Amino acid sequence: MKPFCFSQAPLTPDSYRADLADVAAGGYAAFEGWVRNHNEGHEVTRLEYEAFEALANKEGERIVAEAIGRFGVLRAACVHRVGSLAIGDLAVWVGVSSRHRAEAFAACRYIIDEVKHRLPIWKKEHYVNGDSGWVNCERCAHPHEH
Amino acid sequence: MRTDKALLEYHGQPQVRWAFELLSKFCAATFVSVRPDQRDEASRAGLPQVVDRQPGIGPIAGISAALLEHPKAAWLVVACDLPFITERTLQYLIAHRDPQKMATAYRSAHDGLPEPLCAIWEPAAREPVLACIAGGKQCPRKFLINSDTALLDLPEHAALDNVNTREEFAAAAAALQQRPRIAKTVRIQYYAILREQAGRSEETLDTSAATATELYAELRQRHPFQLGPEQLKVALNSEFAEWQTPLKHGDTVVFIPPVAGG
């Protein structure tokens, strides 16, 4: 599988996991990001992810390559969902196989932290009261509405 | 004039920047030729550079460094202190280029001799130029005189005129005030909150904005963008870029609002 990609369709972690198999690996660690039903005091009903894919694909590949180089793991990959998601859906998957567990956890943590911080991906939340908003963009953008 | 003539402002910005933008409209890649001691000078620092490998021998050091850096490329070499140079002058030179020659150059409007610093230098010139320097000859004009050079008459008589005194600079700057700034066409793609506020996912715009900073200020006049530039990042042609990177004709620009992946 590609080190980093987007998916319009629901994520399928079992199939990704099989792609990380390696006879030299003593273990595998994964992180799954799920859509939860609340954020900063608001009840969330669903959300949408949007990405600047041309840049995010390149930067995502760089992040995975950095993790492999930095922690010496065998294989690593990340898949991020785009489109409309419901509560409980999988938003992002990160998987790492390695000789020993410590570097698998560390590389997994590194990838999800950098993905959240660096990739041009945006999340629009829809709330129970019918409102919606782009996370991290709205409050600073519309101070007069609050 | 005891001053760096590339930094004089005829068109609202240092001439080296303006010349860079002008050439970017015609070239697959554009570089500014610098001596090693000029690399960090403010107007040149943000631009792709070709650094002299044999500093101290004048412009031929820049020409030879360029021919060595990309040996298969033909180089449109233009001095960055020519206030009157125009798009038309460059278009005419390119249209009449003869790639079978060592170079294609204009005849000086004053003495009829080749103008080496508004000319196309072919890859075939690389070895002869290096041999010339090795032989102690450092005049690019004499090189063109003694080589197989295609020579053209200038379509605009004064396009390569030089400015050498404070009085000439003042006169040139006053005359050029009348000319419009270089317009370029850029494509802007919008995502997330900016897409919604712009009411579109992309647009093409003719602009005289020199940088992404100027472009975003211009776009805020057209669209109700609430986010300030300090909250955004910039991508040019699908790579992260600095706000002050000069915009080129044909660039695709994306302003990146605060992200929220994962």
Side-chain angles (χ1 to χ4, degrees), chain B residues 25-210:
Chain B
K25 298 183 84 161
F26 298 97
C27 300
T30 307
F31 300 84
V32 58
S33 163
V34 296
R35 299 188 307 267
D37 62 290
Q38 289 174 319
R39 278 194 292 202
D40 298 323
E41 185 276 311
S43 290
R44 296 169 168 99
L47 302 174
Q49 299 179 341
V50 171
V51 184
D52 286 0
R53 300 181 187 208
Q54 294 158 290
I57 59 171
I60 204 161
I63 295 167
S64 64
L67 290 167
L68 283 165
E69 195 122 332
H70 293 287
K72 289 180 182 163
W75 287 83
L76 172 56
V77 173
V78 174
C80 52
D81 63 350
L82 299 173
F84 301 105
I85 195 153
T86 61
E87 281 186 34
R88 184 169 162 230
T89 304
L90 297 180
Q91 268 161 357
Y92 189 89
L93 180 69
I94 292 164
H96 294 82
R97 169 190 172 201
D98 183 348
Q100 305 304 316
K101 305 273 190 182
M102 258 342 148
T104 302
Y106 283 118
R107 285 186 193 89
S108 163
H110 303 285
D111 58 17
L113 296 174
E115 293 275 15
L117 301 185
C118 179
I120 297 171
W121 291 72
E122 300 294 340
R126 178 170 44 104
E127 291 306 325
V129 164
L130 293 173
C132 187
I133 295 172
K137 295 175 193 154
Q138 298 162 0
C139 176
R141 171 170 285 181
K142 283 189 188 137
F143 176 87
L144 293 184
I145 293 170
N146 295 321
S147 302
D148 189 15
T149 303
L151 284 175
L152 311 172
D153 288 319
L154 277 163
E156 295 171 309
H157 191 80
L160 304 184
D161 280 4
N162 238 315
V163 163
N164 290 307
T165 65
R166 291 246 161 245
E167 293 70 31
E168 284 174 6
F169 165 65
L176 289 165
Q177 289 267 307
Q178 313 304 324
R179 282 195 199 164
R181 293 181 70 178
I182 305 170
K184 56 178 83 69
T185 306
V186 296
R187 195 168 112 193
I188 306 123
Q189 292 177 331
Y190 297 113
Y191 290 93
I193 194 167
L194 294 181
R195 175 176 52 72
E196 291 184 352
Q197 290 173 346
R200 69 199 72 197
S201 52
E202 67 170 81
E203 66 185 319
T204 301
L205 190 70
D206 291 329
T207 178
S208 61

Side-chain angles (χ1 to χ4, degrees), chain B residues 242-262:
Chain B
E242 300 294 324
W243 282 89
Q244 291 307 315
T245 307
L247 292 180
K248 301 191 303 295
H249 182 70
D251 275 350
T252 297
V253 187
V254 176
F255 296 100
I256 300 174
V259 301

